Amino acid sequence: MMLPIALMLPVVILLLGSSIDMMRITALERDLQAVADGGALYAAGELAISSDDAARVEAVAISYVTNTVSSEDAIIQAKADTQLQTVKVSISAEPVTYFMNPFDMVKRVEVYAEAQLAGSAGNLCLIALTATKPSAIEINNKAKLTAENCAIYSNSTSELSLRVNPTAEVLVDQVVLAGGFKGNIDGLSSEPVTDAPQIDDPLAGRQAPNSMGCDFHDYVIDADTGDSDIVPGVYCGGLTIDSAMVAAESGEYVMKNGRLSVLNQGGLYGDGVGFYFTGTNAKLDFAAESNIGLSAPRTGVMTGLLFFSDINNPLAKEVGLGAGLMDGHVIRSDNARRLVGTIYLPDDKLVVDGDTPVADLSEYTVIVAKSFELNNGPNLILQTDYASSNVPVPDGVGAEAVGETYVRIVN
């Protein structure tokens, strides 16, 4: 009985050893693939600088891999195509094994990666900041988003980073998604770039205006009070304009623990005005029959910012809907054709709803929000005529965003 066991023991040892060797080979393959991907991506970024110098780009790729790979006998190759804006990297290496070598069972591990410089994030006029939320940008029903001279960017890595309804349209210069696309591909004027790197919030460093104290409480202007003017200040409980036409003096308006609501054919007009939202239910609410014409400040803390919500205020976080609370900032107005400046809602959703063009009479409009939703049948038009506007464009958006390159793995 002992003899068969003795004969089987070497076989068992070989099998166990081979299993360990296979684990080593798999680990090496995984590590080499990560290095190849990194080298291809890094070198593809170099194409933005050395777009006509393939040899330089290839040298960058080989240098990256050489300084990163752990295998001393690795064979590294790189090939750049300046026309297709791609970089291919291949690595092969012999794994260190102890049981498979004597039987000539070991082959070199080979991996391959190809990355492409997809372009520039370009002239950014719409950014959805959420990192993972599905439908970070959502175009519903018969809605149309027109931004023919600028790019829209979704930071969400979800497979549904952008969703376009079968009857909706997106007419933009460029669509860039950190995740994927679902919906009516025929409704897009340009093929979306998917799996792009996420970008930082370009406005994260913007200072908030002073929101201490209260200048007004639960302020209402309606048919009884008649048409009126408003002045900058802190509006605790918000501001409601109901069936009246209101002119806003230039300056900063803080909506604290309440909405900015324009209802029942009321109107709000003003140049050089910025509205800041902080606290519970501090939301924008432009009803369907409202009339809106606004441009952002040219100086001060809110320079270039038309609407700005507080990202650091715990009272503005999710507290559940109901009790009069709104899900996102809402523009339902059928007469909101002039919205000049940047709408910055870093921790909230912007919903644009209605049946007529929105922002089409603006020199420029930029939207940076946690997520964005376009409903029903409006045509939201994001103009980019920065030169003709006296409202400054915040750094990091608009034409200033040109040069933000992005690369992606394409194999």
Side-chain angles (χ1 to χ4, degrees):
M1 189 69 181
M2 295 297 296
L3 184 60
I5 294 176
L7 292 174
M8 291 176 61
L9 186 59
V11 176
V12 172
I13 293 174
L14 179 60
L15 290 173
L16 290 174
S18 297
S19 297
I20 295 172
D21 283 349
M22 286 302 300
M23 293 173 61
R24 290 176 177 273
I25 292 171
T26 300
L28 176 63
E29 184 176 20
R30 182 184 64 245
D31 293 344
L32 290 181
Q33 187 64 61
V35 174
D37 289 347
L41 287 168
Y42 187 78
E46 185 70 18
L47 281 166
I49 304 170
S50 308
S51 59
D52 295 324
D53 191 345
R56 174 180 171 81
V57 174
E58 291 163 2
V60 167
I62 291 174
S63 176
Y64 177 97
V65 175
T66 301
N67 292 326
T68 309
V69 73
S70 57
S71 299
E72 296 181 359
D73 71 330
I75 299 174
I76 305 162
Q77 294 181 314
K79 180 65 176 178
D81 188 321
T82 58
Q83 296 298 315
L84 297 176
Q85 297 284 275
T86 59
V87 180
K88 300 176 182 179
V89 173
S90 64
I91 310 172
S92 70
E94 185 173 332
V96 176
T97 60
Y98 298 102
F99 294 91
M100 300 174 73
N101 270 330
F103 299 92
D104 195 27
M105 299 169 63
V106 178
K107 306 295 182 184
R108 293 184 69 86
V109 173
E110 297 182 356
V111 297
Y112 166 84
E114 181 178 2
Q116 181 181 42
L117 178 69
S120 166
N123 180 5
L124 289 176
C125 56
L126 170 60
I127 306 173
L129 295 171
T130 183
T132 57
K133 182 182 182 294
S135 301
I137 299 177
E138 187 169 351
I139 316 298
N140 293 317
N141 304 318
K142 296 181 179 180
K144 180 186 292 186
L145 173 62
T146 301
E148 294 180 338
N149 296 312
C150 61
I152 67 172
Y153 208 115
S154 173
N155 246 5
S156 173
T157 56
S158 166
E159 294 180 356
L160 274 70
S161 189
L162 166 66
R163 192 181 73 82
V164 179
N165 192 72
T167 54
E169 291 184 88
V170 178
L171 308 178
V172 301
D173 184 47
Q174 210 167 35
V175 178
V176 187
L177 311 172
F181 166 77
K182 183 175 182 179
N184 180 23
I185 191 68
D186 294 331
L188 299 180
S189 60
S190 61
E191 183 177 351
V193 174
T194 58
D195 301 317
Q198 293 177 317
I199 60 175
D200 295 331
D201 178 354
L203 303 177
R206 288 301 296 258
Q207 181 182 353
N210 179 26
S211 60
M212 300 295 291
C214 297
D215 297 306
F216 305 93
H217 294 270
D218 301 320
Y219 202 72
V220 177
I221 303 174
D222 56 20
D224 293 334
T225 58
D227 298 347
S228 179
D229 294 345
I230 56 173
V231 297
V234 178
Y235 288 73
C236 291
L239 167 63
T240 299
I241 301 170
D242 186 348
S243 308
M245 303 302 288
V246 173
E249 293 185 8
S250 298
E252 298 162 0
Y253 295 78
V254 177
M255 300 297 118
K256 187 174 181 180
N257 297 325
R259 309 177 192 176
L260 170 60
S261 298
V262 184
L263 314 169
N264 299 321
Q265 298 183 336
L268 176 60
Y269 295 90
D271 289 321
V273 295
F275 295 88
Y276 180 69
F277 301 87
T278 184
T280 303
N281 204 28
K283 306 280 187 176
L284 177 66
D285 180 16
F286 291 160
E289 296 181 343
S290 61
N291 303 277
I292 309 297
L294 302 168
S295 68
R298 296 183 288 277
T299 60
V301 174
M302 287 192 63
T303 296
L305 297 181
L306 186 58
F307 305 122
F308 177 11
S309 68
D310 183 358
I311 191 173
N312 296 313
N313 182 13
L315 293 177
K317 304 298 182 183
E318 294 291 339
V319 291
L321 302 180
L325 298 181
M326 292 173 58
D327 181 19
H329 298 254
V330 180
I331 300 175
R332 291 194 176 92
S333 172
D334 284 330
N335 187 22
R337 305 183 67 184
R338 184 164 168 78
L339 299 171
V340 182
T342 297
I343 299 172
Y344 181 39
L345 311 172
D347 201 34
D348 214 335
K349 176 169 63 176
L350 175 64
V351 179
V352 178
D353 198 344
D355 295 304
T356 60
V358 176
D360 61 314
L361 299 182
S362 308
E363 291 87 5
Y364 83 87
T365 306
V366 174
I367 297 171
V368 180
K370 183 176 182 180
S371 60
F372 175 75
E373 186 176 314
L374 191 60
N375 289 326
N376 289 328
N379 183 5
L380 174 62
I381 299 176
L382 301 180
Q383 307 280 19
T384 58
D385 190 6
Y386 311 113
S388 67
S389 177
N390 57 12
V391 177
V393 183
D395 291 340
V397 296
E400 294 298 320
V402 172
E404 292 287 337
T405 56
Y406 50 90
V407 293
R408 57 175 179 167
I409 293 292
V410 294
N411 74 311

